[in-house]
Amino acid sequence: MEELTSIHNQHVKNWKKLQTKKYRRQTGRYLLDGWHLVQEAHKAGIEILQLIGTDEQLDAHQDLIGLSAEVYQVTEEIMRHITETVTPQGIAAVVEMPNAHQVPSAPLNGAWLLLDRVQDPGNVGTMVRTADAAGFTGVVVGDRSADLFSPKVVRSMQGSQFHLQMYEGDLSKWIEDFKQVDAPVYGTQLNPAAKSFRDVHPGATFALIMGNEGHGMSKELLAQTTANLYIPMRGEAESLNVAVSAGILMFQLNQGLAD
Amino acid sequence: MEELTSIHNQHVKNWKKLQTKKYRRQTGRYLLDGWHLVQEAHKAGIEILQLIGTDEQLDAHQDLIGLSAEVYQVTEEIMRHITETVTPQGIAAVVEMPNAHQVPSAPLNGAWLLLDRVQDPGNVGTMVRTADAAGFTGVVVGDRSADLFSPKVVRSMQGSQFHLQMYEGDLSKWIEDFKQVDAPVYGTQLNPAAKSFRDVHPGATFALIMGNEGHGMSKELLAQTTANLYIPMRGEAESLNVAVSAGILMFQLNQGLAD
């Protein structure tokens, strides 16, 4: 165990840099903040590359020190610095990001959530967490969505990233891949002329695409789907929050699997 | 039209004080920030007691000046001060709060959402907005929920308060009122032994209760309901965001009405 007291230490600087997308891409790693996420990672069989804790927290959880080959005892100031949290729990860990630019090796199956330029990190994280609860198999984010492993998205995913396959990629290509295995791909549209979501009953393998908070899905993707779905709403309401819509749709489309 | 340039002006001080629950209760008024909300209020036939705008915004919307007997032209600094927004749109209005402590005069009917100690303003606002979209009739908040007319709740309701009946009160009494008209009251519980939400098909009049983000509904209220509902989830997910759960439940329970 190494004891660090300065925020100018090179380890501390590197952990801090994990807040940037660029450095996460360079190293292939990201930071988990708090006991819940560290334990979820361990339960999921994810290797804890570095475990970082305050004196007090490491003392209180002796059993977890063995989880990692590299353990660092740090000050509360360092903890606040690297987590950008006002009152951090005092424990963090560095783990590997899944290799998100791969494509699945086995044929596509199960329910998948595709995110087209969803920009609010809280929305992205909440949708990943909801996909997990709804029994989905994986999540794919397109080019201009919030980064899956940014601190805010990680906080709101609450560990669901360990239960799902997580990918980044060209959604247009993913749609073609689903079509190749005869699986329907459902877009979503704020358009009463689209298909009511209650009229769709897919089998076990399908994809659902949610779009940008303000602008919805891109026209190009809307044109490529099997069908585009609409949630019928009372006239006076103009739209639903994207994460709420995604929840309604995922629990409706994946009924058989989630129960 | 009165022109105000100092944040020490008494009107400005009063508008600023509308950010506090205490002053909203004293005056029975709250502040709408932005064109969308002002227009929604007008469309709903709500009287605009005071219209507050910057030079530029009032110029651009001459037609709306007639909406209010009291129009104030203010500086951008004043606008930022009273809205606590970094880049306000430059238009705001003071309107009356509905008399939330009344009870409905007609017999209860329609779908109602009851909130038991939901504390995050964004969650409360999103649930009100979703209730509107799902065709609900009204929303009732219990004692220790976020205040319905706080600036953050108002921002996230996006005008849905004008389409719904809005009350505050003792939820225990409200449950009894629903029972009096033989309408079912559904609680919600993170408990797989509770009733699956898919197995419930209420008529046009019912109530749904959502609980606190961390602790759920109070035991007392859970004991008072007709049935308590559960959203079946994949084992590894621990819970859903309360606003997402509310959306799934509201669109399931109110199917007939929302379509």
Side-chain angles (χ1 to χ4, degrees), chain B residues 53-132:
Chain B
T54 57
D55 183 14
E56 194 186 338
Q57 288 300 316
L58 291 175
D59 254 10
H61 298 266
Q62 291 285 347
D63 51 318
L64 284 166
I65 293 181
L67 291 187
S68 179
E70 289 183 38
V71 179
Y72 299 89
Q73 181 182 311
V74 302
T75 62
E76 289 187 13
E77 186 199 2
I78 290 178
M79 210 43 126
R80 277 192 298 273
H81 181 67
I82 64 171
T83 61
E84 284 196 346
T85 306
V86 184
T87 51
Q89 286 184 13
I91 201 80
V94 175
V95 296
E96 257 186 28
M97 293 196 289
N99 190 340
H101 288 289
Q102 284 182 324
V103 285
S105 49
L108 280 172
N109 68 70
W112 288 74
L113 175 68
L114 277 49
L115 302 182
D116 178 26
R117 302 169 304 160
V118 178
Q119 277 168 347
D120 180 78
N123 284 338
V124 169
T126 301
M127 286 193 272
V128 171
R129 182 179 160 201
T130 308
D132 180 19

Side-chain angles (χ1 to χ4, degrees), chain B:
Chain B
M1 185 160 68
E2 200 171 330
E3 201 177 323
L4 309 177
T5 55
S6 162
I7 63 167
H8 303 297
N9 177 281
Q10 191 58 46
H11 285 301
V12 177
K13 284 183 184 172
N14 290 346
W15 296 328
K16 176 81 178 172
K17 272 159 65 185
L18 287 176
Q19 284 171 11
T20 67
K21 180 169 180 173
K22 189 177 164 196
Y23 193 67
R24 290 194 298 273
R25 302 292 135 171
Q26 273 176 25
T27 58
R29 297 172 168 199
Y30 72 108
L31 191 82
L32 300 174
D33 175 18
W35 281 115
H36 175 71
L37 291 182
V38 174
Q39 280 161 335
E40 283 289 303
H42 176 57
K43 264 201 286 179
I46 306 285
E47 187 185 358
I48 309 292
L49 300 171
Q50 301 176 313
L51 184 72
I52 307 154
T54 57
D55 183 14
E56 194 186 338
Q57 288 300 316
L58 291 175
D59 254 10
H61 298 266
Q62 291 285 347
D63 51 318
L64 284 166
I65 293 181
L67 291 187
S68 179
E70 289 183 38
V71 179
Y72 299 89
Q73 181 182 311
V74 302
T75 62
E76 289 187 13
E77 186 199 2
I78 290 178
M79 210 43 126
R80 277 192 298 273
H81 181 67
I82 64 171
T83 61
E84 284 196 346
T85 306
V86 184
T87 51
Q89 286 184 13
I91 201 80
V94 175
V95 296
E96 257 186 28
M97 293 196 289
N99 190 340
H101 288 289
Q102 284 182 324
V103 285
S105 49
L108 280 172
N109 68 70
W112 288 74
L113 175 68
L114 277 49
L115 302 182
D116 178 26
R117 302 169 304 160
V118 178
Q119 277 168 347
D120 180 78
N123 284 338
V124 169
T126 301
M127 286 193 272
V128 171
R129 182 179 160 201
T130 308
D132 180 19
F136 272 50
T137 299
V139 175
V140 186
V141 294
D143 282 347
R144 284 176 292 159
S145 287
D147 189 64
L148 276 178
F149 298 96
S150 76
K152 281 184 187 168
V153 174
V154 170
R155 198 172 306 140
S156 67
M157 289 194 290
Q158 297 193 4
S160 284
Q161 72 267 35
F162 304 125
H163 312 147
L164 291 161
Q165 296 183 43
M166 306 278 281
Y167 291 102
E168 287 172 11
D170 179 339
L171 297 187
S172 178
K173 284 188 191 152
W174 276 83
I175 294 175
E176 291 311 314
D177 290 345
F178 281 101
K179 287 184 169 173
Q180 287 260 318
V181 296
D182 287 325
V185 177
Y186 301 110
T188 46
Q189 209 173 9
L190 244 187
N191 173 6
K195 204 176 174 82
S196 166
F197 77 107
R198 299 200 209 273
D199 299 337
V200 174
H201 306 281
T205 300
F206 67 90
L208 169 70
I209 311 178
M210 300 302 301
N212 176 269
E213 288 87 348
H215 304 288
M217 276 176 60
S218 76
K219 278 187 193 165
E220 293 73 20
L221 294 182
L222 281 169
Q224 229 189 316
T225 58
T226 313
N228 293 316
L229 307 182
Y230 173 72
I231 300 177
M233 277 176 239
R234 179 153 79 165
E236 292 171 278
E238 281 164 24
S239 70
L240 289 165
N241 169 281
V242 66
V244 172
S245 301
I248 294 166
L249 294 169
M250 288 193 274
F251 273 85
Q252 170 76 16
L253 296 175
N254 211 34
Q255 291 198 29
L257 298 173
D259 287 4

Side-chain angles (χ1 to χ4, degrees), chain A residues 9-247:
Chain A
N9 177 282
Q10 193 56 47
H11 286 300
V12 177
K13 285 183 182 170
N14 291 346
W15 297 327
K16 176 82 179 174
K17 272 160 66 186
L18 287 175
Q19 284 170 10
T20 67
K21 179 169 180 172
K22 188 176 165 198
Y23 193 66
R24 289 194 298 273
R25 301 291 134 171
Q26 274 176 25
T27 58
R29 297 173 169 200
Y30 73 108
L31 191 80
L32 301 173
D33 174 17
W35 280 115
H36 175 71
L37 291 181
V38 175
Q39 280 162 335
E40 283 289 303
H42 175 57
K43 265 202 284 180
I46 305 287
E47 188 184 357
I48 309 292
L49 300 170
Q50 300 176 311
L51 184 71
I52 307 154
T54 57
D55 183 11
E56 195 185 339
Q57 288 300 316
L58 292 175
D59 255 8
H61 299 265
Q62 290 286 345
D63 51 317
L64 285 165
I65 295 181
L67 290 187
S68 179
E70 288 183 39
V71 180
Y72 299 88
Q73 182 182 313
V74 303
T75 62
E76 290 186 12
E77 186 199 0
I78 290 176
M79 209 43 124
R80 279 193 297 273
H81 181 68
I82 64 172
T83 61
E84 283 196 349
T85 306
V86 184
T87 50
Q89 287 183 13
I91 201 81
V94 175
V95 296
E96 256 186 29
M97 292 196 291
N99 191 340
H101 288 288
Q102 284 182 326
V103 286
S105 50
L108 279 173
N109 68 71
W112 289 75
L113 175 68
L114 277 50
L115 302 182
D116 178 26
R117 302 169 305 160
V118 178
Q119 275 167 350
D120 179 78
N123 283 339
V124 170
T126 300
M127 286 194 272
V128 171
R129 182 179 160 201
T130 307
D132 180 19
F136 272 49
T137 299
V139 174
V140 186
V141 294
D143 281 348
R144 284 175 293 159
S145 287
D147 189 64
L148 277 178
F149 298 97
S150 76
K152 281 184 186 169
V153 174
V154 170
R155 198 172 306 140
S156 66
M157 289 194 290
Q158 297 193 6
S160 284
Q161 72 267 37
F162 303 125
H163 312 148
L164 291 160
Q165 296 182 42
M166 307 279 281
Y167 291 100
E168 288 171 13
D170 179 340
L171 297 187
S172 178
K173 285 191 191 150
W174 276 83
I175 294 175
E176 291 311 315
D177 290 345
F178 281 101
K179 286 183 170 175
Q180 287 262 317
V181 295
D182 286 325
V185 177
Y186 302 110
T188 47
Q189 210 174 8
L190 245 186
N191 173 6
K195 203 177 175 82
S196 166
F197 78 106
R198 299 197 208 275
D199 298 336
V200 173
H201 305 280
T205 300
F206 67 90
L208 169 69
I209 312 178
M210 301 302 302
N212 176 269
E213 288 89 347
H215 305 288
M217 277 176 59
S218 76
K219 278 186 192 166
E220 292 73 20
L221 295 182
L222 280 170
Q224 227 188 319
T225 58
T226 313
N228 294 318
L229 307 183
Y230 172 71
I231 300 177
M233 275 177 243
R234 179 155 78 166
E236 293 172 279
E238 281 164 24
S239 71
L240 289 165
N241 169 281
V242 67
V244 172
S245 301

